[in-house]
Amino acid sequence: MQAKVVVVGSLNMDLVARAPRLPRAGETLAGESFATVPGGKGANQAVAVARLGASVAMIGNVGDDAYGQQLRQALLDEGIDCQGVAVCTGVSSGLALIVVDASSQNSIVIIPGGNGQLLPESVQAFDALLKRAEVIICQLEVPLATVAYTLARGRALGKTVILNPAPCTGPLPQDWYAAIDYLIPNESEAQALTGVAVSDLASAEVAAEQLRSLGVQNVIVTLGAQGALFASAQGVRHFPAPVVQPLDTTAAGDTFVGGFAAALARGVEEGEAIAFGQRAAALSVTRAGAQPSIPYLFEVQP
Ligand code: RIB
């Protein structure tokens, strides 16, 4: 199989508790339910690409534990090319401790495990996958050196390069920007990248234009129920979000990124691809969990 999209990133087992609200510091809170669910931003985005209509390969690591086997199998079950998913001996698989509250918001602590051992050489070893792909996607749950290598290699090969800067605590290295075709932060990530307090369309536009001035061509700031702001050389466009009743927002951003990338790989025009990603993400927030919440193409097509 020739995968049109390659995702370089994390695989995590999500340990998910639902509670009436998020606990305060020092507090013990009674929860309502618990589930173990395949997740990780990289793996979620790969699943979204596969379910939303494009062939995809994953490059990442799991640990040599039962979770690692389950995480890899979950991707294989979606028809994802996993030749680039390695098993690291002596480390755990990536873990995410997630609490989801009654208003569908979440808080997440991640333990990198095998994700922390994904080296530039791990990506280099699967250069043939990058060469055959049209779109390459990275996030920030694997070492920055690996992301830097992948972005630069994707640019050198002339591929469409997408960075979802999540999770994000500060500005990116300046020399990354010119290698990125589409930078896709949410509000808090756009704020961490720029220092601009992003809370609405106007502030998202300020942040997006600041990021474009650093050399990235296109910026899509996802704003949850406020939609998405797309800044490019052609100007700024607002894409309103479909109105839904949210149950769990975990992996909504991943579904948007994967849906957008799948649509681009299918030759869809970028504005249409953004709207497609939004429809997919809107469906995902009406369902619980990360990978289980990601919709299929037949559910999203108009
Ligand atoms: O974006 C959602 C994901 O973030 C979860 O699946 C969790 O694993 C964390 O990586």
Side-chain angles (χ1 to χ4, degrees):
M1 181 185 76
Q2 296 229 1
K4 282 192 166 183
V5 180
V6 174
V7 178
V8 176
S10 58
L11 302 91
N12 293 331
M13 190 56 83
D14 292 353
L15 310 180
V16 189
R18 286 201 78 103
R21 56 179 173 75
L22 304 182
R24 286 188 278 272
E27 183 184 30
T28 300
L29 189 64
E32 292 155 350
S33 65
F34 174 76
T36 306
V37 183
K41 294 184 193 301
N44 295 344
Q45 292 176 20
V47 169
V49 173
R51 289 188 186 168
L52 295 166
S55 52
V56 53
M58 175 91 203
I59 298 177
N61 283 342
V62 293
D64 60 348
D65 52 16
Y67 285 160
Q69 290 174 23
Q70 291 168 32
L71 290 169
R72 195 165 188 283
Q73 190 59 48
L75 299 191
L76 289 170
D77 290 347
E78 301 291 337
I80 295 170
D81 178 342
C82 286
Q83 62 179 293
V85 178
V87 179
C88 297
T89 45
V91 286
S92 73
S93 293
L95 293 172
L97 311 181
I98 303 180
V99 181
V100 181
D101 73 11
S103 70
S104 81
Q105 297 305 306
N106 63 42
S107 70
I108 305 181
V109 174
I110 54 168
I111 311 297
N115 298 314
Q117 297 192 9
L118 190 75
L119 303 177
E121 295 75 24
S122 322
V123 180
Q124 213 166 14
F126 293 96
D127 200 50
L129 290 177
L130 301 185
K131 280 184 174 149
R132 288 197 294 261
E134 293 174 15
V135 180
I136 295 170
I137 311 176
C138 294
Q139 322 75 33
L140 300 180
E141 283 185 340
V142 296
L144 295 187
T146 306
V147 179
Y149 171 81
T150 307
L151 299 178
R153 184 65 183 143
R155 169 57 73 242
L157 291 170
K159 307 300 178 182
T160 298
V161 177
I162 297 175
L163 177 65
N164 171 222
C168 181
T169 52
L172 298 176
Q174 173 76 47
D175 61 344
W176 286 21
Y177 287 103
I180 302 167
D181 292 294
Y182 294 95
L183 181 67
I184 310 182
N186 67 14
E187 299 104 309
S188 68
E189 291 148 7
Q191 179 162 338
L193 293 174
T194 62
V196 174
V198 177
S199 59
D200 55 16
L201 287 172
S203 49
E205 181 173 342
V206 173
E209 289 301 353
Q210 185 175 317
L211 291 165
R212 278 187 20 83
S213 75
L214 294 169
V216 62
Q217 298 175 33
N218 303 289
V219 178
I220 305 170
V221 183
T222 58
L223 296 156
Q226 295 186 79
L229 180 120
F230 175 40
S232 71
Q234 280 69 50
V236 173
R237 284 175 70 184
H238 174 226
F239 290 76
V243 178
V244 290
Q245 187 62 47
L247 173 69
D248 179 356
T249 57
T250 308
D254 300 330
T255 304
F256 174 80
V257 171
F260 173 69
L264 286 186
R266 287 190 278 109
V268 173
E269 179 273 327
E270 62 189 3
E272 257 309 300
I274 291 171
F276 176 82
Q278 284 183 303
R279 292 199 298 278
L283 270 175
S284 78
V285 304
T286 65
R287 304 166 180 176
Q291 289 172 27
S293 74
I294 298 169
Y296 291 84
L297 185 60
F298 73 90
E299 301 176 90
V300 183
Q301 290 285 28

